[in-house]
Amino acid sequence: MSRFNDYQHAYPNARLSRSPEGVLEIALHTDGGKLVFNGHTHEQFVDLFHDVGSDPDNRVVILTGSGDAFMDAITARKDSTSSPLAVTTRSIARARRC
């Protein structure tokens, strides 16, 4: 089970805020502007959506973007800031939490 305080600032490409009623707003971005989607953001969002879905205090989720477009660019970046070992370790940890 995830808790908002544990993941609120854990994702550099997602700005999260939640009302006392459980309305969670996720604004996806790259450096505060529109999101540029790549392998790194993909990895982040898998973990982000898992945390959001595992938090029983989230009642409604609003997914939005920053800048003048939600996302109008995808890079073919093959590298990632995560090594295969780090990705595997996160996946194992996530499976254990479930």
Side-chain angles (χ1 to χ4, degrees):
M1 182 173 2
S2 297
R3 293 293 181 196
F4 185 67
N5 289 339
D6 296 332
Y7 64 85
Q8 179 181 12
H9 301 292
Y11 301 100
N13 294 99
R15 188 172 45 253
L16 286 75
S17 61
R18 187 171 67 194
S19 74
E21 296 79 25
V23 177
L24 175 67
E25 182 177 339
I26 303 170
L28 303 178
H29 66 91
T30 298
D31 298 326
K34 63 185 172 185
L35 176 68
V36 176
F37 194 80
N38 59 37
H40 178 65
T41 56
H42 174 78
E43 288 176 3
Q44 278 184 66
F45 298 156
V46 169
D47 293 336
L48 168 65
F49 295 142
H50 176 50
D51 282 339
V52 168
S54 299
D55 186 341
D57 296 327
N58 291 328
R59 307 290 297 157
V60 174
V61 177
I62 300 170
L63 184 62
T64 187
S66 301
D68 63 353
F70 178 75
M71 175 186 59
D72 64 356
I74 298 176
T75 64
R77 207 176 102 183
K78 295 181 181 177
D79 63 323
S80 171
T81 59
S82 297
S83 69
L85 177 59
V87 172
T88 302
T89 303
R90 278 198 316 269
S91 298
I92 292 169
R94 187 170 48 242
R96 287 182 179 152
R97 288 192 308 251
C98 293

